[in-house]
Amino acid sequence: QAQLVESGGGLVQAGGSLRLYCKASGIPFPISTMGWYRQAPGKQRELVATITRGGSPTYADSVKGRFTISRDNYENTVSLQMNDLKPEDTAVYYCNAWRTSTIYWGQGTQVTVSS
């Protein structure tokens, strides 16, 4: 059974850091692009960052210079290092993984940044 499990969310003060972690299992080899999205209350889900199997990252303008995405193809994991967090980063963060035309999603992890 395909599954993505996120961890690492929590409550942090503005200016602080968190690292999100996502482990994929049960997805047929190879996984291509992996990424992180987020959804704040009352807003649509939006892209945060993606990374190709070859390691090329893409970031939303709002997180460039503060967030870093990385992955381990052997372990089928993707991580998101978040620095200099702001209250507007508060959201549920979801990881996803692409395999040909199928997208797999995790259940999400809450990140709350207090001012």
Side-chain angles (χ1 to χ4, degrees), residues 59-76:
Y59 297 97
D61 288 343
S62 59
V63 307
K64 282 181 181 176
R66 300 188 297 124
F67 291 9
T68 302
I69 190 170
S70 59
R71 68 184 284 175
D72 183 325
N73 291 333
Y74 181 77
E75 297 290 339
N76 282 338

Side-chain angles (χ1 to χ4, degrees), residues 12-16 84-87 113-115:
V12 65
Q13 289 188 332
D84 190 23
L85 283 161
K86 303 176 180 180
V113 185
S114 63
S115 56

Side-chain angles (χ1 to χ4, degrees), residues 2-7 20-27 31 34 36 72-79 95 97 105-106:
Q3 193 174 17
L4 292 171
V5 179
E6 301 103 333
S7 61
L20 303 184
Y21 180 82
C22 174
K23 170 74 173 176
S25 61
I27 299 175
I31 297 173
M34 301 184 79
W36 290 93
D72 183 325
N73 291 333
Y74 181 77
E75 297 290 339
N76 282 338
T77 60
V78 61
S79 298
C95 110
W105 289 94

Side-chain angles (χ1 to χ4, degrees), residues 6-52:
E6 301 103 333
S7 61
L11 173 64
V12 65
Q13 289 188 332
S17 298
L18 283 174
R19 186 176 181 88
L20 303 184
Y21 180 82
C22 174
K23 170 74 173 176
S25 61
I27 299 175
F29 178 86
I31 297 173
S32 60
T33 299
M34 301 184 79
W36 290 93
Y37 287 68
R38 67 187 181 187
Q39 187 166 18
K43 295 187 177 181
Q44 291 188 331
R45 192 172 298 189
E46 64 176 6
L47 168 73
V48 176
T50 62
I51 186 167
T52 66

